[in-house]
Amino acid sequence: MRIVLVGPPGAGKGTQAAYLAKNLSIPHISTGDLFRANISQGTDLGKQARAYMDAGQLVPDEVTIAMAKDRMSQPDAVNGFLLDGFPRNVGQAEALDEMLKSEGVMLDAVLDLEVPEDEVVKRIAGRRICRNDSAHVFHVTYNPPKTEGVCDTCDGELYQRDDDTEETVRTRLEVYHTQTEPIIDYYRAQGLVVTISALGKVEDVTKRSMEALKKDRED
Ligand code: AP5
């Protein structure tokens, strides 16, 4: 399956993507995680992306699209993928369509996670991620690690992301409303959007997502 996950910052896209990708046996491709890995490795790409990320702005399309295409062309993504954080504006969605068309394949669904703004702010404020792997995500209240500050999965140090400050989160939400939300209408016109509430326990949201994707395939 080829799926796009969409939703505001802090909606739980990364958290859900980890479970959904495992259940569906497809790779989880997060452009945010790819940028963060480049930043921690000190690559030129990471240096280019950092200022935009710290400001809560989108990294320019030419950089992002090239990085996403490169990742999607790797062998593990040939038969499907779960995209998290890409595309993030209509230009990126058009570039993805072009890429898929050139390979004679299509998206199966766009899973839209709906969460009220006050909840995403709470989720972001308490988020802690692992220095070894930013896919290992915790929350100080909703999903606390067994030992404070230590990743349950790999014992890595947990930290708060640089772009999780109140001011940056406000900018990220605004960028989401103005630049990313329009892709929902773009994909709705293609009949691809499945919207679910992402409120409630993580496992309940995963169950709701799997059921919505299954129903979408049957329709
Ligand atoms: P990115 O890393 O994609 O950030 P984001 O979209 O803002 O999303 P988040 O990672 O903040 O949240 P999430 O929805 O994954 O939530 P999570 O699962 O962690 O992008 C960062 C930056 O990179 C962008 O601002 C931009 O600069 C750049 N970038 C990335 N992609 C780009 C692109 N395509 N183009 C241009 N620039 C790009 O959950 C949040 C918290 O809530 C966690 O603590 C979690 O434990 C908790 N939680 C999750 N689910 C639940 C639940 N059901 N109940 C209670 N708590 C929950």
Side-chain angles (χ1 to χ4, degrees):
M1 277 186 105
R2 292 176 182 82
I3 303 168
V4 167
L5 258 187
V6 68
K13 300 181 295 297
T15 302
Q16 289 306 320
Y19 292 105
L20 295 174
K22 201 168 169 200
N23 285 346
L24 297 164
S25 304
I26 48 178
H28 166 203
I29 299 179
S30 156
T31 41
D33 285 349
L34 290 172
F35 284 133
R36 280 184 287 278
N38 275 279
I39 290 172
S40 62
Q41 288 155 19
T43 67
D44 286 344
L45 177 62
K47 283 175 195 148
Q48 271 178 282
R50 180 162 209 156
Y52 295 98
M53 293 177 77
D54 284 350
Q57 298 291 346
L58 296 188
V59 179
D61 281 357
E62 59 272 23
V63 177
T64 307
I65 292 168
M67 179 183 75
K69 274 187 179 172
D70 178 61
R71 177 63 188 90
M72 278 185 273
S73 64
Q74 287 172 25
D76 66 334
V78 168
N79 293 319
F81 46 70
L82 179 58
L83 293 178
D84 160 13
F86 182 86
R88 229 175 171 99
N89 59 28
V90 172
Q92 293 181 11
E94 287 169 347
L96 176 62
D97 273 355
E98 280 296 308
M99 180 188 158
L100 297 177
K101 202 167 146 201
S102 73
E103 286 165 11
V105 295
M106 289 168 72
L107 286 177
D108 293 284
V110 174
L111 184 62
D112 167 31
L113 301 185
E114 253 184 8
V115 188
E117 208 144 299
D118 56 344
E119 176 67 13
V120 300
V121 171
K122 278 188 215 158
R123 288 186 183 183
I124 289 176
R127 171 169 47 196
R128 298 293 181 270
I129 63 171
C130 177
R131 284 227 185 264
N132 293 343
D133 186 341
S134 61
H136 301 163
V137 182
F138 298 84
H139 189 282
V140 291
T141 314
Y142 299 140
N143 176 29
K146 290 191 186 92
T147 307
E148 196 187 325
V150 180
C151 176
D152 289 355
T153 314
C154 70
D155 289 339
E157 182 201 351
L158 298 182
Y159 76 105
Q160 189 160 25
R161 267 170 45 179
D162 291 344
D163 61 345
D164 279 354
T165 62
E166 199 186 321
E167 195 192 340
T168 310
V169 169
R170 225 176 283 127
T171 307
R172 283 161 60 201
L173 281 165
E174 197 185 310
V175 167
Y176 177 74
H177 293 311
T178 54
Q179 301 192 47
T180 306
E181 265 181 350
I183 73 169
I184 299 177
D185 281 339
Y186 176 87
Y187 284 128
R188 198 167 274 133
Q190 298 181 27
L192 288 170
V193 178
V194 187
T195 300
I196 63 146
S197 162
L199 284 176
K201 287 187 192 157
V202 169
E203 54 269 34
D204 292 342
V205 179
T206 308
K207 203 169 154 218
R208 221 174 283 147
S209 302
M210 289 299 290
E211 279 164 5
L213 290 171
K214 188 166 167 251
K215 186 168 176 301
D216 186 59
R217 291 187 105 184
E218 289 165 359
D219 286 347

